[in-house]
Amino acid sequence: ETIFWKPSLQTDSQGKAQVSFFLSDAVTSFRATVEGFGGGAAGRGDAVVGSKLPVSLAAKLPLEVTNGDVVELPVVITNATFRGFDANVNAQVGAAFTAKEVLSSKVHLDPSQTKTVYYNLTVVGNGAEPKDGRVALSAEGGHLTDSMERTLRVVPAGFPREENAAGTLTGSATASEEI
């Protein structure tokens, strides 16, 4: 998609020109291409303009956890601004998890700095209620925020087991199972 087009841009005596245009607020990259000719020669140039959040939060969460697991949850906070600030990082977890410490941290981020905080969680749920696997994370500071929320699948300890029997029954039978 083209977001800006100027087919007849005039340069100054040093061959320079300035343009301005609005970009989408999507977190993505945009390619700028300039083509022109003058003085009997043609020229072309490309540049990539990246759009990113001023502060961002990311966490690598497992797809599934098992009752009894201990999860060391890394939460990565990135300051993409040119100013330092203090961020409050918070985690809220569903009933399937317990934590030994408070799920809140205060982090100072210098300009263009990334830091990681860790939260230790123990899985105490059995997966009966899917909403109990909720993990919500947020980072807030200097009027900037980012957040994410996921629901992890919680499964009981052990492996699923299934037994089948087939045949013809004549008379009576009993069955027992040892686990």
Side-chain angles (χ1 to χ4, degrees):
E1 296 180 25
T2 302
I3 58 171
F4 179 76
W5 172 259
K6 182 123 177 140
S8 58
L9 179 65
Q10 296 290 320
T11 61
D12 62 18
S13 61
Q14 277 102 37
K16 295 182 180 183
Q18 185 173 338
V19 297
S20 64
F21 50 90
F22 293 100
L23 294 176
S24 158
D25 62 354
V27 177
T28 187
S29 295
F30 301 92
R31 178 174 305 280
T33 303
V34 177
E35 296 176 333
F37 67 93
R44 182 177 199 283
D46 283 309
V48 175
V49 177
S51 170
K52 53 189 167 184
L53 294 172
V55 63
S56 63
L57 173 133
K60 298 248 182 191
L61 298 170
L63 296 175
E64 175 178 284
V65 292
T66 302
N67 181 295
D69 284 353
V70 176
V71 178
E72 185 177 57
L73 179 64
V75 180
V76 180
I77 307 96
T78 302
N79 176 9
T81 69
F82 298 110
R83 284 185 252 160
F85 68 91
D86 293 319
N88 291 314
V89 183
N90 295 297
Q92 294 178 345
V93 295
F97 304 100
T98 61
K100 291 181 182 176
E101 69 274 348
V102 176
L103 297 177
S104 180
S105 302
K106 192 169 195 97
V107 178
H108 177 77
L109 292 162
D110 290 328
S112 301
Q113 185 179 27
T114 297
K115 285 191 177 177
T116 304
V117 296
Y118 295 91
Y119 296 119
N120 293 307
L121 305 174
T122 301
V123 182
V124 295
N126 61 8
E129 291 290 328
K131 67 178 174 137
D132 290 348
R134 177 180 171 266
V135 176
L137 305 167
S138 65
E140 185 177 330
H143 304 293
L144 302 171
T145 63
D146 192 20
S147 62
M148 66 180 288
E149 183 175 327
R150 300 279 190 292
T151 300
L152 305 181
R153 184 170 176 234
V154 180
V155 297
F159 294 96
R161 181 176 171 188
E162 186 176 307
E163 287 191 30
N164 295 304
T168 303
L169 178 64
T170 56
S172 65
T174 60
S176 64
E177 181 177 332
E178 288 186 38
I179 296 180

